[in-house]
Structures are given as structure tokens and as C-alpha cells.
Amino acid sequence: MSQRPSDGLAVVILAAGQGTRMKSSLPKVLHPIAGRSLIQHVLDVAGSLGAEHVLAVVRHERERVAQAIAEHAPDTIIVDQDEVPGTGRAVEQALQALPDDFDGSVVVLSGDAPLIDHDTLQMLIDGHLAEGRKMTLLSALFDDPTGLGRILRSDDQRMLGIVEEKDATDEERRITEVNGGIYVFHRRTLQDTLATIDTNNAQGEKYLTDAAARILASGGAVDAVATTDTWLIAGVNDRAQLADVGRELNRRIVRKHQQAGVTIQDPSTTWIEAGVSIGADTLILPGTYLHGATSIASNAIVGPDTTLVDTEVREGAHVRRSEVHLAVIGEGASVGPFSYIRPGTELGESSKIGAFVEAKNAKIGDASKVPHLSYVGDVTVGTDSNIGAGTIVANYDGVKKHETVVGDGVRIGSKNVLVAPVTVHDGSYTAAGTVVRKDVPAGSLSMGVLPQRHIEGWVADKRPGSSSAKAAERAGETQES
Ligand code: UD1
Ligand code: CA
């Protein structure tokens, strides 16, 4: 049997609340965990359901919240909640924004509950449709249900309704099955029901939760499906919960990578954002932070104590105790310890950035090395070249940045200064301490330093009586005897 065209799925995300307990100038749903705002996580899971319509209800800090939603999920319909408070009013106004002929299911999510996942929602929707219910919600058993709505059931466990904590009797408050705030409804039934709900309660709000008893009273089937994974319904109301939910999300992300074949030695000190990809048999050592669009291929080693932001690490590369932003680490290349790799840097295959090196917009060719104590900025190095210890690329003349080119098979001596713009051509050498101001021809040796000469007796003459003069005097005596 083909589905009627009016069937289908809409998702409503509630995000109009104020989030007072965050004590923040940033709207609550825009606070990030795992590199994405709370509302982005909820938009992502909404998007994963393949709904025809996704709606977000906003009010507090309307412009900022609406803009963040539009940037992340431009197809989302923004619905403005009026001055009537409550989750019921928020959903009612969202339903008014749906096409009149849409008669499918409506999933309701909270913009501040980011751990709900695709599989749980799909299970909830499937059960809702299979049982022919008008309302299905996700509940959980909490040892301490304080603050949450309670699920009312008859002696034979039939659902009777939901009571908010502030409206509950002492006996009802002892109920430990709580409303998770995640629902599936039949659109038309919900819209008709919300029209009958008032704000006659302890908070003076139009409660979405009042729909349960009303739908039951008019003969519709309603049930709460309890989950044992209580994190799925965890909401963020203050900074402590933001940290708790963020840590749990990180634990779930780490677990997902472990299940895909990544060795993560210490999940508690490894922070991996939602958009990061990691290949199998890669080893992530403690104290590692992987941000943004970072992707790590297989058989790599990252860490300990390493931060990668929007960075590509290719097969078999090794990055230890370093910070890397917007760079490419080539196949089998190595970085660190203690280096800082800045945007635009691309390391070729089997190349090396060693200890205490800062690189910015540096293209380092295959098998080339910058092993020790260097700054390399705005530079292109060919293949199989070596940059001596302590070498600095002087890319900035105080006004403009300039480019430096080092060819293939070049040996830059220790403690050179390459004054940009300058080119060191293929196969050339530079002597230790050279300040390279002019292009170096291919295959030549460049020496920019004065020949070494000695002024005999200078110390005795200019620094008489000093400890150096005394040492020199003793040396003279030993030589004479
Ligand atoms: C709600 C439920 C409660 C449930 C709990 C789960 C109601 C009446 N109560 O309580 O049974 O246990 O969630 O977390 O629904 N919002 C709006 N407009 C409003 C009010 C709220 O968009 O006028 C949004 C909030 O921004 C938030 C969500 O709805 O994203 C839930 O609102 P909140 O005030 O946190 O509901 P609770 O009182 O916690
Ligand atoms: Ca809440």
C-alpha cells in the first residue's frame, strides 16, 4: 500500500527559552560541546531523520539563535513564539507554520538536550506508528527525579498523564519515571488538543505535557517508552550540566572511534570533536585534542599532549607534543616534540619538523627536514633538503611579508637567516651563520660571514684583572712551562 502524500515527518525543535541559569550573554543553545553548539547537535539529529519539515521555535535572543540555525541548517523554518509562555504554546505555533495538508508525525525535541541520537528517535517513531499511537514520549527512571515532569500510570501500568513537579502532590513527586521531553505526535491530533489547553497551573504556562491526558481522554493511544540510557534525555540548564553533558558526548565520540579500530589510550584526557575522522590502527596518546575538520588517516600516531585544529594527518605520520592549525602532515612525516605548525603549512611525504620549530605557510617537500629550533614562514622547500639548526626565515620586512624558495637537495647551514624575498637554488649549500640576502646559484656554496681572525692579547689589554684575563694568563704560563 502506498503512503498517502500527506503522511510524513516533521521535527520541531524548542529553543525559545531563556536559559537564565547559564548566567551568560551567549544564548544557552549556542554554547558549544564537542565543537558544535547545543542547537547544532539537535539540528544534526533532526536532519538525520529525513524529515520533510524541520522547524525551530525561538524567542529569547531571537536574532542570534535564528542566525546560528540558518547558518548550520538553512532549510530550517524559524517560528517565533509569542508572549504566551510554555512548551505547549511553542509547539502550537510551530504546527501553525506547517502546511495545512501535512497530516504525518511530528517529533518534538529540545534545543538544550543534545545527546538524543538517531537510532533512539527512529525506534520511538517506528513504535509510535506500529502501535497506532497519537503520542509517544521517551521517559527514563531517575533515582533523583527533581525538577522533571513525572509519568502518571495506573496500577496496571497504563499511562494516565504527565504532571509537572511544581504541580505535583507529594505522592506524585515520589514517582521516579520522568518525562524526557522528547516526543512523537500525530500532527492533527496534537494541534486540535493544544487548542484546548490553558495556562491554569503553577507556572502559568501552556504545557505540552498536558496533551497526554487530553489525548487519552478523547480515546487516543498514548505511551511513554522508558530508556535505560538516561543521558539521552539530559538537558543543559547550567554550566555544570554543560560540562557533564560535554564529557559524556566526548565519551560517546571516543567510544565510536574505538569501535572503528582506533587505539585511544586514555579516553578521559582525549577530546575529539564531532566532525573529526580517524583511520583504523591509529594510536591516540593522552592529552590529545582534535578539533574541527581534522582528519587522521590510518597507522598514524598523535600525542601525547597534542592539539590539532582543522588538520589533515596522512597515513603513518607522527605528531607528538605539538600544536597544529590548518595544515597537512604528509604520509610518514613527523612533527615535534614541542613545535607549532600554523595555517597553510604542508609537509611532504617522510618530511620532518623537529623540536622547537614554528612553521607558517611553509611547504616542505618530500623527505626534507627542519629538525631543530627554527622559524620557517612563507617558504617553499623542495625535496630532500635540510634546514640547519636555529635557522630563521625572515619573511617580514616590517611592512610586508615576502616569499622564500629553497630548492631540491639544498643544505642550509646552522643558524642562517634567509632574508625574504630570496631563492636558494637546487643542490646548493650555505655555511653556518650565513645571512642569505641574495639568491644562491644552483650547486654553489654561499658564505655570508667574515673570515675568522684573532686579535692576540685583546683580553689582557681590554679586560685587565678579569677572570677571563686570569684564565688566559694561566693558559700562557702552562704553555711556557
Ligand atoms: C519540560 C517538561 C517536563 C520534562 C522536561 C524534560 C513541559 C511543561 N515540561 O520541563 O515534563 O521533564 O522538559 O527536560 O514541557 N521552551 C520554549 N518555549 C517556552 C518554554 C520552553 O521554546 O515557552 C523550550 C526551552 O527553550 C527548552 C524546552 O522548551 O528547550 C523545554 O523547556 P524547559 O523550560 O526547560 O522545560 P522544563 O520546565 O524543564
Ligand atoms: Ca529544561
Side-chain angles (χ1 to χ4, degrees):
M1 196 181 86
S2 71
Q3 263 199 327
R4 293 203 325 277
S6 55
D7 284 339
L9 187 67
V11 182
V12 175
I13 301 172
L14 303 183
Q18 201 167 346
T20 325
R21 280 175 283 164
M22 292 298 282
K23 303 211 166 77
S24 177
S25 61
L26 185 68
K28 173 167 81 174
V29 295
L30 300 191
H31 280 261
I33 56 174
R36 292 178 188 169
S37 65
L38 299 178
I39 189 99
Q40 282 179 14
H41 289 288
V42 180
L43 287 164
D44 287 346
V45 73
S48 78
L49 295 172
E52 285 106 286
H53 310 282
V54 177
L55 306 95
V57 185
V58 298
R59 179 173 169 87
H60 176 74
E61 290 264 22
R62 190 243 178 242
E63 287 309 320
R64 286 171 82 182
V65 176
Q67 193 193 333
I69 292 168
E71 277 169 16
H72 189 71
D75 292 339
T76 310
I77 301 161
I78 304 291
V79 177
D80 286 289
Q81 186 173 353
D82 61 17
E83 60 292 332
V84 180
T87 48
R89 182 59 180 163
V91 173
E92 183 174 31
Q93 292 200 278
L95 296 185
Q96 286 161 1
L98 277 176
D100 280 341
D101 64 353
F102 175 86
D103 198 29
S105 304
V106 175
V107 168
V108 176
L109 304 174
S110 243
D112 61 0
L115 295 181
I116 184 65
D117 61 27
H118 167 92
D119 290 358
T120 305
L121 286 176
Q122 195 59 58
M123 177 273 294
L124 212 61
I125 295 164
D126 292 346
H128 173 84
L129 294 174
E131 299 292 326
R133 286 192 289 257
K134 301 298 184 192
M135 173 178 184
T136 303
L137 64 108
L138 194 62
S139 67
L141 297 174
F142 273 22
D143 294 338
D144 177 10
T146 309
L148 295 161
R150 310 294 206 281
I151 307 298
L152 305 175
R153 290 186 185 273
S154 64
D155 291 340
D156 59 355
Q157 293 305 303
R158 275 180 307 110
M159 186 161 162
L160 301 174
I162 305 169
V163 62
E164 292 304 296
E165 165 143 311
K166 290 197 173 105
D167 303 289
T169 63
D170 287 348
E171 193 185 342
E172 287 166 341
R173 284 183 194 183
R174 282 194 288 275
I175 297 170
T176 55
E177 187 182 4
V178 298
N179 170 21
I182 289 160
Y183 316 81
V184 192
F185 294 96
H186 173 234
R187 185 261 172 109
R188 187 61 56 200
T189 305
L190 178 60
Q191 196 160 356
D192 294 347
T193 305
L194 285 170
T196 72
I197 291 174
D198 56 32
T199 59
N200 239 326
N201 52 55
Q203 302 186 83
E205 292 181 5
K206 190 161 187 163
Y207 290 161
L208 179 60
T209 45
D210 281 352
R214 303 240 173 173
I215 293 171
L216 284 163
S218 62
V222 175
D223 207 358
V225 177
T227 175
T228 51
D229 182 355
T230 54
W231 283 108
L232 290 175
I233 66 166
V236 171
N237 296 298
D238 58 30
R239 308 265 184 166
Q241 288 169 343
L242 182 70
D244 291 345
V245 168
R247 178 170 289 283
E248 176 60 22
L249 178 55
N250 187 62
R251 199 186 66 77
R252 286 170 190 236
I253 292 171
V254 164
R255 180 59 50 90
K256 192 189 71 189
H257 289 295
Q258 290 173 321
Q259 281 161 353
V262 180
T263 298
I264 296 173
Q265 209 177 59
D266 182 13
S268 68
T269 64
T270 302
W271 290 82
I272 304 178
E273 289 185 354
V276 171
S277 67
I278 311 177
D281 285 321
T282 280
L283 170 61
I284 306 291
L285 293 167
T288 293
Y289 300 76
L290 305 176
H291 296 272
T294 291
S295 72
I296 303 173
S298 46
N299 295 302
I301 304 176
V302 177
D305 302 327
T306 291
T307 298
L308 305 183
V309 182
D310 299 330
T311 286
E312 179 185 347
V313 176
R314 298 199 173 142
E315 171 106 25
H318 190 168
V319 184
R320 77 198 90 179
R321 293 189 201 277
S322 290
E323 173 139 352
V324 186
H325 293 242
L326 214 74
V328 178
I329 312 300
E331 197 175 322
S334 79
V335 172
F338 310 113
S339 282
Y340 180 30
I341 311 297
R342 294 166 50 201
T345 297
E346 290 174 20
L347 306 186
E349 194 177 325
S350 303
S351 65
K352 173 178 177 171
I353 293 274
F356 303 103
V357 173
E358 178 174 342
K360 186 215 77 172
N361 188 30
K363 317 281 189 250
I364 309 293
D366 295 350
S368 286
K369 296 184 170 123
V370 188
H372 329 276
L373 300 153
S374 284
Y375 171 69
V376 285
D378 300 318
V379 60
T380 302
V381 177
T383 59
D384 191 34
S385 288
N386 191 78
I387 309 293
T391 291
I392 302 297
V393 175
N395 59 325
Y396 184 50
D397 63 10
V399 181
K400 280 183 71 178
K401 305 275 169 68
H402 300 278
E403 298 287 328
T404 295
V405 177
V406 174
D408 299 339
V410 169
R411 301 283 174 268
I412 301 288
S414 294
K415 200 173 180 277
N416 278 207
V417 180
L418 307 182
V419 183
V422 74
T423 298
V424 182
H425 286 282
D426 293 350
S428 57
Y429 276 58
T430 67
T434 301
V435 177
V436 181
R437 297 178 184 278
K438 292 186 288 192
D439 291 0
V440 178
S444 62
L445 169 65
S446 171
M447 288 175 295
V449 275
L450 291 172
Q452 183 169 329
R453 55 191 193 109
H454 308 133
I455 303 171
E456 301 281 341
W458 185 91
V459 174
D461 196 26
K462 302 290 189 189
R463 302 286 185 268
S466 67
S467 58
S468 300
K470 286 172 189 156
E473 198 180 326
R474 284 196 298 277
E477 282 161 9
T478 331
Q479 269 171 23
E480 275 156 30
S481 61

